[in-house]
């Protein structure tokens, strides 16, 4: 059998066969003509053990280009480059001459027209019918017509022309390298370019002449094995194509969940076997996911497209996320939303006109910047958004976007509602004001309100043994989606069903020979698990797919540079507080007052007094004379006889009160701390 098949079809290395294979003609059935002898007879990749023996039959169902094998012509050294390698390559000129034009043409690819133009040069003079070409002339082959080829010629000082060269013309001809630059993907996509030799462009290895060949990952099944095989095309295996001669061999037909969902309703119900379980790092965190392992038997009851809602828990210790089907039977009450800026309030008002909020944190009025004051408990109703003129810290007013709100007054006060303008860049803290306390079904929430929405589950679904949504203080309805799902159950409990999202889980199954686990025409009553816990990865992917590209929140307008500088200067020159001013000694005893130092012009050294950290071992000495206006509010304090004389000054340079004692360490500078100041004030009072 093997010999007859080999005789009918040519035997090729696996790498060469796959490289010449068109993916549109898959699947193809191959027979192994020699086993694998690469690091032993067993080849293991990503946990898949691959072992081929002579005579094995393989059904290739898919190929994927992984990398490119580069072979140095001079040293036979091989290395691989990823298919997305960013380096560029140029065609290398050939070093082996051709003796005739016919030999050069015949050694080119069969489909010559698809890889034209081809450029070559002659080391000898060429005498044609009406012209003689000098040595070194470069010709571009355009087409082959019977026993001659049409070429384009352009030489040094020669006019461009087209000539016909006989295929029998003898000489010494060399193929020329082009100036075009190619990426690995471009080379691998062209059968003609694959036959060329290349060298790197602008790299240290530019002198290496390379032969490039693609390396594919092959997806296949075998007639004696159920699992899906994945292995590289670089395995040292010789194969023969027996697709046309192998009609009776039965292969496992792996189906993805998307393939199952595309089947007709007549396919269901059916018992299937898991060939490959979901990949690690899945999007789901539900009870049935860990049991979808290789060899598990499932019952697929049917397919449908389910309307589902994505929810996340708020105000809880551990964030959890859920995918909830519209069949959920519990009820919800709305919960107020919180907003931490005016811009968030603006975005929410665009989705829900007439939004009412209450201020949850005081906001002081900044008159020079046009920011209004807000008090805790004030209620606002969002009216709209418009351009307003605000000072924004400068002398001229600037036009900014502001949210127009109405201050809602109490009915008892009788005052009319007043408008307040909140710039979109303004910080604030608000909470939504809700007036209804109704209970809603999940489908009613999506129909009556704009999402996202805060809710609380107030009654459980009676169909669920344990309702995971009940007990959370607040749930956020992130959005809704339509999910193609497959209604499934395990073979040992066919009545307990769950929905598998066909586009969210990657796994493969095959139809099993097991019969349905119920009497004919007596299917069980299915109880569907309508709440599926998902991971944060699912939520991030969902929000990324559903996210609208909103503009970022606006920044505050640029303030006037002169006004900002003036404001900072005033702040730095502020006088001591009234409480500190009341503690001066001048009001206590004029006789004990100390006159201020004589005025003199301050020097640069005086203005830039060094600030040295205080040390206990070596206290710093005072400067000989202090600069004018460096110390203010000078006075004395005498507390009875025998008590030290204390001088109190306020240092504007360091913004600190400073004490001088007439006893102890004379002349020692003692910096005031909060505790020291408090003791001094208590003593003075």
């Amino acid at each position: 059998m093997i010999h007859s098949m080999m005789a009918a079809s040519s035997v090729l290395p696996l790498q060469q066969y796959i490289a010449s294979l068109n993916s549109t003609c898959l699947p193809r059935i191959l027979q192994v003509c020699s086993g694998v002898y690469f690091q032993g007879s067993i080849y293991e990749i990503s946990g898949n053990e691959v072992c081929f023996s002579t005579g094995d039959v393989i059904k290739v169902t898919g190929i994927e280009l992984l990398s490119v094998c580069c072979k140095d012509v001079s040293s036979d050294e091989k290395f691989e480059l990823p298919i997305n390698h960013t380096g560029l390559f140029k065609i290398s000129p050939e070093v082996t001459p051709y003796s005739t034009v016919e030999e050069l043409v015949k050694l080119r690819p069969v489909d010559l027209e698809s890889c034209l133009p081809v450029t070559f040069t002659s080391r000898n003079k060429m005498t044609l019918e009406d012209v003689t070409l000098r040595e070194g002339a470069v010709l571009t082959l355009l087409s082959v017509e019977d026993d001659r080829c049409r070429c384009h010629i352009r030489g040094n000082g020669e006019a461009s022309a087209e000539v016909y060269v006989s295929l029998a013309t003898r000489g010494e001809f060399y193929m020329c390298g082009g100036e075009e630059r190619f990426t690995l993907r471009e080379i691998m996509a062209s059968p003609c370019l694959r036959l060329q030799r290349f060298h790197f462009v602008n790299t240290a290895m530019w002198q290496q002449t390379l032969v490039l060949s693609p390396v594919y990952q092959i997806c296949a099944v075998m007639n004696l094995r159920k699992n899906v095989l994945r292995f590289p095309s670089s395995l040292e295996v010789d194969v023969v194509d027996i697709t046309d001669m192998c009609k009776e061999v039965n292969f496992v037909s792996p189906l993805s969940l998307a393939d199952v969902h595309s089947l007709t309703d007549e396919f269901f119900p059916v018992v299937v076997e898991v060939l490959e379980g979901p990949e690690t790092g899945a999007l789901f965190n539900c009870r049935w996911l860990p049991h979808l392992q290789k060899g598990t038997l499932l019952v697929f009851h049917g397919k449908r497209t389910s309307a589902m809602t994505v929810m996340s828990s708020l105000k809880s210790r551990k964030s959890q996320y859920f995918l909830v089907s519209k069949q959920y039977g519990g009820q919800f009450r709305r919960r107020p939303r919180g907003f931490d800026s005016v811009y968030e309030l603006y975005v929410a008002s665009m989705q829900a006109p007439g939004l009412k909020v209450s201020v949850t944190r005081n906001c002081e009025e900044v008159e020079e910047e046009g920011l209004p004051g807000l008090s805790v408990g004030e209620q606002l109703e969002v009216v709209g958004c418009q351009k307003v003129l605000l000072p924004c810290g400068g002398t001229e007013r600037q036009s900014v976007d502001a949210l127009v709100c109405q201050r809602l007054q109490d009915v008892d006060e009788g005052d009319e509602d007043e408008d307040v303008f909140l710039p979109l860049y303004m910080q604030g803290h608000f909470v939504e004001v809700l007036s209804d306390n109704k209970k809603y079904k999940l489908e009613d929430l999506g129909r009556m309100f704009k999402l996202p929405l805060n809710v609380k589950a107030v009654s459980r679904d009676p169909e669920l043994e344990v309702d995971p949504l009940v007990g959370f203080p607040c749930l956020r309805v992130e959005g809704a989606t339509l999910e193609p799902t497959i209604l499934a159950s395990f073979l040992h409990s066919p009545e307990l069903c769950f929905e598998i999202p066909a586009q969210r889980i990657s796994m493969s199954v095959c139809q099993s020979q097991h019969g349905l686990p119920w009497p004919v025409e007596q299917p069980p009553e299915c109880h569907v698990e309508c709440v599926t816990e998902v991971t944060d990865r699912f939520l991030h992917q969902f929000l990324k797919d559903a996210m609208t590209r909103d503009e970022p929140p606006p920044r505050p307008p640029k303030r006037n540079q002169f006004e900002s500088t003036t404001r900072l200067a005033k702040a730095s020159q502020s006088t001591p507080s009234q409480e500190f001013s009341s503690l001066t000694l001048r009001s206590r005893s004029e006789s004990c007052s100390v006159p201020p130092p004589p005025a003199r012009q301050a020097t640069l050294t005086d203005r830039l007094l060094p600030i040295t950290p205080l040390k206990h071992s070596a206290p710093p000495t005072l400067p000989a004379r202090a600069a004018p206006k460096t110390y203010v509010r000078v006075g004395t304090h005498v507390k009875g006889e025998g008590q030290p004389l204390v001088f109190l000054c306020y240092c504007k340079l360091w913004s600190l009160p400073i004490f001088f004692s007439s006893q102890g360490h004379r002349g020692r500078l003692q910096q005031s701390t909060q505790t020291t100041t408090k003791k001094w004030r208590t003593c003075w009072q």
Side-chain angles (χ1 to χ4, degrees):
M1 178 70 177
I2 296 176
H3 294 290
S4 61
M5 291 181 180
M6 292 173 58
S9 204
S10 58
V11 178
L12 295 173
L14 178 63
Q15 173 73 9
Q16 182 179 345
Y17 174 81
I18 297 298
S20 63
L21 190 62
N22 190 345
S23 59
T24 59
C25 66
L26 295 178
R28 304 296 295 179
I29 300 176
L30 309 179
Q31 188 172 42
V32 178
C33 300
S34 63
V36 177
Y37 301 100
F38 182 79
Q39 295 180 350
S41 60
I42 297 178
Y43 196 88
E44 184 176 347
I45 301 174
S46 301
N48 292 329
E49 186 181 281
V50 179
C51 179
F52 296 134
S53 302
T54 302
D56 284 348
V57 178
I58 306 170
K59 184 177 182 179
V60 178
T61 59
I63 56 175
E64 178 185 0
L65 183 60
L66 290 182
S67 59
V68 177
C69 179
C70 305
K71 178 182 177 182
D72 190 342
V73 175
S74 60
S75 63
D76 288 339
E77 179 185 356
K78 292 183 180 180
F79 58 92
E80 286 193 13
L81 294 176
I83 190 58
N84 56 356
H85 179 67
T86 58
L88 299 177
F89 298 82
K90 289 176 62 175
I91 298 177
S92 297
E94 295 188 1
V95 295
T96 304
Y98 299 94
S99 57
T100 64
V101 176
E102 182 178 13
E103 181 183 352
L104 183 146
V105 172
K106 284 186 176 181
L107 291 179
R108 304 313 300 158
V110 177
D111 188 11
L112 180 63
E113 299 296 334
S114 64
C115 63
L116 292 177
V118 175
T119 304
F120 65 97
T121 183
S122 174
R123 289 287 182 90
N124 306 320
K125 288 185 177 181
M126 296 177 59
T127 303
L128 307 179
E129 295 179 356
D130 52 354
V131 67
T132 300
L133 303 180
R134 61 174 181 81
E135 60 183 20
V138 178
L139 296 91
T140 301
L141 179 61
L142 302 178
S143 63
V144 178
E145 304 172 2
D146 297 331
D147 58 347
R148 61 179 185 172
C149 57
R150 183 169 61 93
C151 301
H152 178 272
I153 181 173
R154 181 187 295 274
N156 294 334
E158 299 179 7
S160 175
E162 286 190 3
V163 296
Y164 286 90
V165 181
S166 173
L167 295 179
T169 304
R170 302 187 65 83
E172 190 175 349
F173 305 102
Y174 293 87
M175 296 299 302
C176 297
E179 292 300 321
E180 296 84 1
R181 291 168 168 80
F182 305 95
T183 64
L184 284 181
R185 286 191 181 276
E186 292 172 338
I187 296 173
M188 293 298 105
S190 171
C192 264
L193 289 177
R194 289 184 193 174
L195 299 175
Q196 304 288 345
R197 297 183 177 187
F198 294 87
H199 63 265
F200 285 99
V201 178
N202 298 330
T203 67
M205 298 185 294
W206 67 272
Q207 293 182 336
Q208 291 180 320
T209 301
L210 305 173
V211 175
L212 307 181
S213 55
V215 178
Y216 294 89
Q217 177 174 264
I218 302 173
C219 182
V221 293
M222 299 179 65
N223 61 326
L224 301 178
R225 302 179 66 173
K226 290 184 178 180
N227 59 314
V228 179
L229 305 179
R230 287 183 173 85
F231 53 91
S233 60
S234 56
L235 290 184
E236 299 177 6
V237 181
D238 293 334
V239 296
V240 59
D241 192 325
I242 59 172
T243 304
D244 298 332
M245 299 170 287
C246 195
K247 303 293 186 181
E248 299 179 356
V249 178
N250 294 323
F251 290 91
V252 173
S253 298
L255 299 172
S256 66
L257 294 183
D259 295 334
V260 174
H261 196 271
S262 64
L263 298 175
T264 60
D265 293 335
E266 287 75 15
F267 180 76
F268 304 96
V270 64
V271 179
V272 299
E273 181 181 348
V274 178
L275 296 179
E276 283 186 318
E279 58 184 10
T280 57
L283 304 176
F284 296 83
N285 190 24
C286 46
R287 64 164 187 86
W288 45 263
L289 184 67
H291 301 287
L292 300 183
Q293 300 177 357
K294 176 182 175 182
T296 302
L297 295 177
L298 299 174
V299 179
F300 282 174
H301 298 264
K303 63 170 185 176
R304 56 190 180 187
T305 300
S306 302
M308 293 189 169
T309 303
V310 180
M311 291 187 174
S312 59
S313 64
L314 299 177
K315 302 178 183 179
S316 58
R317 294 182 179 179
K318 179 184 178 183
S319 298
Q320 292 180 266
Y321 315 95
F322 303 95
L323 191 62
V324 187
S325 175
K326 70 175 182 179
Q327 283 80 21
Y328 177 77
Q331 290 183 316
F332 302 89
R333 279 198 181 101
R334 294 183 60 195
R335 299 288 291 171
R337 291 173 289 173
F339 309 100
D340 293 329
S341 68
V342 176
Y343 182 76
E344 291 182 20
L345 196 59
Y346 161 71
V347 173
S349 67
M350 296 295 291
Q351 300 174 347
L355 179 65
K356 296 180 181 180
V357 295
S358 177
V359 180
T360 59
R361 191 178 299 180
N362 289 334
C363 181
E364 295 184 2
E365 180 181 5
V366 184
E367 185 176 354
E368 60 269 19
E369 296 185 9
L371 301 180
L374 300 174
S375 301
V376 173
E378 280 191 289
Q379 292 196 4
L380 307 174
E381 181 178 358
V382 180
V383 177
C385 183
Q386 68 181 48
K387 293 279 188 180
V388 296
L389 294 176
L390 295 179
C392 299
T395 56
E396 297 183 0
R397 292 177 175 269
Q398 300 186 39
S399 177
V400 299
D401 291 320
L403 197 64
V404 184
C405 301
Q406 276 190 347
R407 274 195 174 103
L408 303 179
Q409 306 293 341
D410 294 337
V411 179
D412 298 337
E413 296 180 1
D415 297 333
E416 295 183 357
D417 298 338
E418 61 173 328
D419 291 341
V420 58
F421 299 93
L422 307 178
L424 295 189
Y425 55 81
M426 177 179 171
Q427 295 296 316
H429 299 272
F430 313 90
V431 64
E432 187 177 12
V433 176
L434 300 178
S435 57
D436 83 89
N437 198 29
K438 297 179 182 179
K439 295 181 180 180
Y440 296 93
K441 293 278 190 184
L442 183 60
E443 55 183 349
D444 296 333
L445 289 175
R447 185 180 67 254
M448 300 173 62
F449 304 102
K450 293 287 186 179
L451 303 181
L453 196 68
N454 289 2
V455 297
K456 175 180 173 62
V458 293
S459 62
R460 60 183 297 273
D461 187 343
E463 296 292 330
L464 298 179
E465 182 178 352
V466 177
D467 191 337
L469 300 183
V470 176
F472 289 104
C474 187
L475 293 169
R476 182 179 177 88
V477 183
E478 302 286 354
T481 180
L482 290 176
E483 289 287 338
T485 59
I486 299 172
L487 190 62
S489 66
F490 294 105
L491 188 65
H492 56 81
S493 54
E495 70 283 354
L496 302 178
C497 299
F498 48 90
E499 292 182 285
I500 304 179
Q503 296 180 349
R504 305 280 186 177
I505 293 182
S506 176
M507 58 181 290
S508 61
V509 299
C510 69
Q511 189 170 357
S512 175
Q513 300 300 323
H514 287 74
L516 295 171
W518 58 73
V520 180
E521 303 298 332
Q522 295 181 11
E525 182 180 356
C526 294
H527 301 278
V528 183
E529 184 176 330
C530 52
V531 180
T532 304
E533 186 174 354
V534 297
T535 62
D536 56 347
R537 180 181 168 190
F538 178 96
L539 179 65
H540 294 162
Q541 180 177 322
F542 171 79
L543 295 179
K544 181 180 178 181
D545 296 339
M547 182 175 55
T548 58
R549 296 194 174 274
D550 297 328
E551 295 182 359
R555 292 183 177 181
K558 292 184 178 180
R559 296 172 178 171
N560 184 284
Q561 186 67 25
F562 175 77
E563 294 289 340
S564 301
T565 306
T566 305
R567 188 182 299 107
L568 292 175
K570 289 181 178 180
S572 63
Q573 297 176 3
S574 60
T575 58
S577 64
Q578 186 66 26
E579 181 183 2
F580 182 78
S581 300
S582 64
L583 298 180
T584 58
L585 304 180
R586 186 180 304 275
S587 59
R588 293 289 180 177
S589 176
E590 292 293 338
S591 61
C592 298
S593 62
V594 179
R600 68 178 180 86
Q601 186 174 1
T603 62
L604 180 62
T605 307
D606 296 327
R607 291 197 299 269
L608 301 179
L609 293 176
I611 302 177
T612 307
L614 296 178
K615 298 181 180 179
H616 294 287
S617 58
T621 59
L622 290 173
R625 297 180 63 184
K629 299 184 180 180
T630 302
Y631 302 102
V632 297
R633 308 284 185 187
V634 182
T636 59
H637 168 214
V638 180
K639 187 180 180 184
E641 298 181 0
Q643 297 294 328
L645 181 65
V646 179
F647 298 91
L648 172 64
C649 301
Y650 183 81
C651 179
K652 295 176 64 176
L653 177 64
W654 295 329
S655 299
L656 291 172
I658 302 177
F659 299 88
F660 297 87
S661 176
S662 60
Q663 294 183 2
H665 298 281
R666 185 178 300 276
R668 173 177 293 183
L669 178 64
Q670 298 176 336
Q671 276 188 288
S672 170
T673 63
Q674 184 176 2
T675 305
T676 308
T677 306
K678 183 176 180 181
K679 290 182 178 179
W680 186 89
R681 291 174 181 170
T682 304
C683 179
W684 173 253
Q685 294 173 355

